[in-house]
Amino acid sequence: MGLKYFIYFFCLSLMLLSASVKKSFAAEESQMLRVAIDTDIRSTNAGVNRDANTDAILHHMLEGLVAYKEDLSIAPMLAEDYKIEDGGRKYIFNLRKGVLFHNGIEMTSAHVKWSWDRYLDPETRWLCRSWYDGTTNSSVKITSIETPSPYKVIFNLEKPSYIFLHRMAHLQCITAVIHPSSVDEKGEWIKPVGTGPFELAEWRRGEYIELKKFDEYSPRKEIRNGLSGKKEVLINSVRFLIIPDASIAKAALQAGDIDVAVSLPISLYRELKLQQDLELIAQPTLYWMTLLIQNNQGILNNPLIRQALSHAIDRESLANFSTQGMGEMNSSAIPMESPYYDDFHSTWYEYDVNKARKLLKEAGYNGELLKIQTNRKQLHLYENAIILHAMLRDAGFNIELEVLDWASQLNNFYSGEFQLSAFDYSARIEPFLNYQLFDRERGTVKKYGWQNPRVREMLNKLDQIFIPEERAVIFRSLHSEMKNDIPLIGLYNLYKMFVVNKTVNGFEGWNLVIPRFWGVAKRPLKGGEK
Amino acid sequence: MIAYIVKKMLLAIPTLFIVALIVFCLMRSIPGDPAMILAGDINDPLIVEQIRKSLGLDQPLPMQFFLWGKQVLSGNLGFSAMTGEPVFETMSKRIGVTALLVVPALILSVLFAVPAGLYAAWNQNKKGDITIMVCLIVAISIPSFWMGMMLILIFGVWLGWLPTVGYVPFGEDFWQAGKYMILPVISIMLVEMATITRMMRSNAIEVLRQDYITHARAKGVSERNVLLKHTLKNSFAPTLTLIGLMLGSLLGGAAVVETVFSIPGIGRLLVDSIYARDYAVVQGILLFVSLIYVITNLLVDVLYPFFDPRVKL
């Protein structure tokens, strides 16, 4: 009897509590968008202490002179327009008038110069300083930044550079124009005072990051396009809740406790598609899935073995499985969305297990053990490794999986201590930036990489070439060289899934992955709001 | 008593030193470079070197340990490589959250487990005992993450009675905070309750077989008094040791429940910091957890004579 009353009392208490929770949720429901992210941000200091989530959130608060459009071309953002002079040595930006920082002060050329001087100061520890200071052979040296008027900025470069604008628009190293009040008198970072459509409201480490609408934001007139165009905010605030576990984020979405989930694995696609109150936005990204081959030592130094590896992998099936049947294999470092991608870039070794076995025999392979490194933190890499392991074993390779944690795998990548590694490269929009990652001289990894003087020569040329057709020819040659040397095997471009509650309108995905919460409302959109 | 406490505190110093040394060596022996993790996918060797220098990782290992030890002795646990925040500040925010989760869970566990254990012992091998034992085996066999997920699914998704994820500090809104804490507290409580009940039951069975219990019964002492005055007090002492150990373990290791319910506690911070190779934070937390163990064990030792008069400090 006592137990029965206890259960009644317990259930009644829960119901009463839930009623008041729902009431308080309802009050804020239309004002705030709740978004699940899987990890906390590193800092609010753009390009200094960052990761993908940090960048994604900072792009809501910060803007640079230029930004990427959805077709992967560059558009002016804080600049009204720009022109390139002196054969690519001089970049002139006319600034938009009336753009305000979050503290209400109007942005001028002095702020642009101050921001760039800060980025280029070694004390700032900006991760991409070497891209602009001429210290490495892949660097573009900015010789001076002139401010002839409050609304004009001129960047003078040591030598012509095609890539300069792409680096300015780079997603990871945000070249945002910020107000000097973002730092204290000693130059220590306080918080971002930028020009973006949102400003920082609160950051509770490990819990959430809340951004509020910047009421005095002056949007561009062009329609929303990538990170450029009109950024009209239709909600009061966005709260990015840190929910590390994907299944819990899914449950919270189903319970209506969050509105958007941006980091659910694509493997949940089919299951979530059955939920009628959820909208799924799945699309290819520029993240390139690969199998890295340490070709500098051991049996993998033998080109016949590397060819056998290429023939042994059924990339079509792998891409099909990993993208839930939506994606295709991609052999090339050039993303399939890039204007430089054409049929030539799909050429690679066809899947042929018998040919792989024949090549192994020719190469004198005696069952030497090969290991594929992977990690469980990035589920897609782990799944790739499992499938690759099965395919290579089927072709006659003596192969094992070596499951590490991500930090160890990354460490081994940089130190070259691996044979095969299921790895991915994050989005680089301009293919030149992708290819130079693989080259041992130009890239940052010195103990693994591609060593081919012809490739190096082509990469050296590419930054001076401004004509797209000429660039396309060189990219084709680079792909041919990659096919000959096989420093890695390209698999497919990762598919990303955004899951959105159907009460949310205006949310759209795009191939650069970064979620955008301008033009998004928790009500039907009116004409022209997108 | 005071002499005993002072002696125990002095013994804690070499214990903490050994823990610090082991943690330092273990963290350095696992592969993974914090500087490379910080640099992420924009990896520039010059910048990596700069980060490494700023974190003191360019120094020889004994020097790194010496510098860290010096910092700790001056009351500074260092700075997080990932966030740049002082480790002590980060930890103190998180330990408060974990304590608000763990302490109520443990108190509730004791409140349910002690009577249940006593009741089961009193009815040994009868229907009540068997029912309790079956429930205990089920509760003890269910991993806390699964329990958490099931609670979220039932009360959050299906019934919609409670929020699925999140955390509200008690200082901000007491009732809201309570609502967010119900499910995580229950998922910790059920597992801990099972362990304490089992311990309490076996201790009580042993006590009920003692001669002084038979003597009390022979004297005509009521069963209620036999249980509450003689059995409870004598069988609770060993259970108290277990509760002390549990408190220490939960304060440092409720990471699973914290991850499932997205609660920013110290356990989740520890796991995240291990993955990020944030040496200063991991070392700081483990040192702190060791200190908690020392303190809770000391508290248990001090409380022991109240339950078992044979024990003298």
Side-chain angles (χ1 to χ4, degrees), chain B:
Chain B
M1 170 88 83
I2 291 168
Y4 177 82
I5 294 171
V6 171
K7 193 179 149 193
K8 275 276 188 179
M9 289 311 286
L10 287 173
L11 273 172
I13 295 170
T15 310
L16 291 176
F17 176 78
I18 292 166
V19 168
L21 189 65
I22 292 172
V23 168
F24 182 89
C25 294
L26 280 176
M27 277 310 289
R28 283 352 188 243
S29 65
I30 50 174
D33 182 346
M36 282 180 179
I37 295 170
L38 265 175
D41 52 357
I42 310 280
N43 194 298
D44 181 328
L46 295 173
I47 294 286
V48 170
E49 216 37 60
Q50 203 179 343
I51 297 170
R52 203 171 274 138
K53 204 171 173 184
S54 72
L55 298 175
L57 299 172
D58 57 335
Q59 305 275 352
L61 282 182
M63 180 55 84
Q64 286 182 39
F65 183 71
F66 172 74
L67 291 173
W68 177 63
K70 209 171 126 187
Q71 265 186 338
V72 172
L73 288 176
S74 62
N76 175 9
L77 290 174
F79 293 87
S80 161
M82 286 297 136
T83 64
E85 268 196 337
V87 173
F88 186 77
E89 200 182 305
T90 311
M91 258 172 39
S92 46
K93 279 184 214 158
R94 301 292 189 102
I95 190 71
V97 176
T98 302
L100 285 173
L101 171 69
V102 162
V103 174
L106 205 57
I107 290 173
L108 287 169
S109 303
V110 173
L111 289 178
F112 280 99
V114 171
L118 210 57
Y119 178 80
W122 188 48
N123 291 289
Q124 197 192 353
N125 297 331
K126 290 182 188 161
K127 205 173 146 189
D129 179 33
I130 292 165
T131 311
I132 288 173
M133 286 305 288
V134 169
C135 293
L136 293 184
I137 288 165
V138 171
I140 223 162
S141 315
I142 296 174
S144 51
F145 76 89
W146 192 82
M147 177 76 78
M149 284 178 176
M150 287 303 109
L151 289 172
I152 286 175
L153 195 65
I154 296 165
F155 294 105
V157 181
W158 292 347
L159 298 172
W161 289 358
L162 290 168
T164 48
V165 285
Y167 166 77
V168 174
F170 276 93
E172 204 169 274
D173 185 335
F174 186 82
W175 290 110
Q176 283 276 7
K179 288 160 206 163
Y180 278 91
M181 277 296 180
I182 290 174
L183 296 184
V185 164
I186 292 174
S187 53
I188 290 184
M189 195 188 102
L190 288 176
V191 177
E192 302 307 322
M193 196 172 78
T195 315
I196 299 171
T197 310
R198 276 171 66 95
M199 181 75 172
M200 190 66 201
R201 178 186 174 273
S202 60
N203 289 336
I205 287 171
E206 205 171 303
V207 170
L208 283 167
R209 286 179 189 153
Q210 297 295 316
D211 290 345
Y212 60 83
I213 297 289
T214 315
H215 181 74
R217 281 176 172 153
K219 273 201 321 184
V221 176
S222 68
E223 275 303 300
R224 181 192 166 92
N225 280 346
V226 165
L227 270 182
L228 296 180
K229 284 191 176 168
H230 300 284
T231 317
L232 172 64
K233 205 174 167 187
N234 287 299
S235 56
F236 187 67
T239 313
L240 186 68
T241 311
L242 178 74
I243 294 167
L245 287 171
M246 275 179 166
L247 181 66
S249 145
L250 283 171
L251 282 173
V256 174
V257 171
E258 286 170 1
T259 303
V260 168
F261 290 95
S262 309
I263 294 170
I266 202 160
R268 209 177 102 195
L269 177 69
L270 177 63
V271 173
D272 290 346
S273 303
I274 291 170
Y275 280 129
R277 304 291 189 270
D278 199 340
Y279 294 157
V281 178
V282 176
Q283 288 163 189
I285 293 175
L286 291 179
L287 206 58
F288 183 71
V289 169
S290 312
L291 189 67
I292 288 175
Y293 264 102
V294 169
I295 292 169
T296 48
N297 278 312
L298 185 64
L299 276 175
V300 168
D301 287 352
V302 170
L303 286 173
Y304 222 91
F306 291 104
F307 296 97
D308 190 346
R310 290 170 300 181
V311 176
K312 299 267 183 253
L313 296 180

Side-chain angles (χ1 to χ4, degrees), chain A residues 135 148 347 353 378 426 428 435:
Chain A
T135 53
T347 55
V353 179
Q378 284 141 309
S426 55
R428 301 286 192 278
Y435 277 110

Side-chain angles (χ1 to χ4, degrees), chain A residues 10 36 38 101 125 127 130 191 209 262 274 296 301-302 335 347-348 351 354 388 404 406 415 449 502 522:
Chain A
F10 183 72
D38 55 351
F101 285 109
R125 292 194 208 143
L127 294 171
S130 68
K191 68 168 192 173
I209 306 102
V262 298
L274 301 173
N296 300 314
N301 197 22
N302 185 339
T347 55
W348 196 256
Y351 170 56
N354 291 330
L388 288 167
L404 306 166
W406 171 234
S415 60
K502 279 195 175 158
K522 290 177 88 173

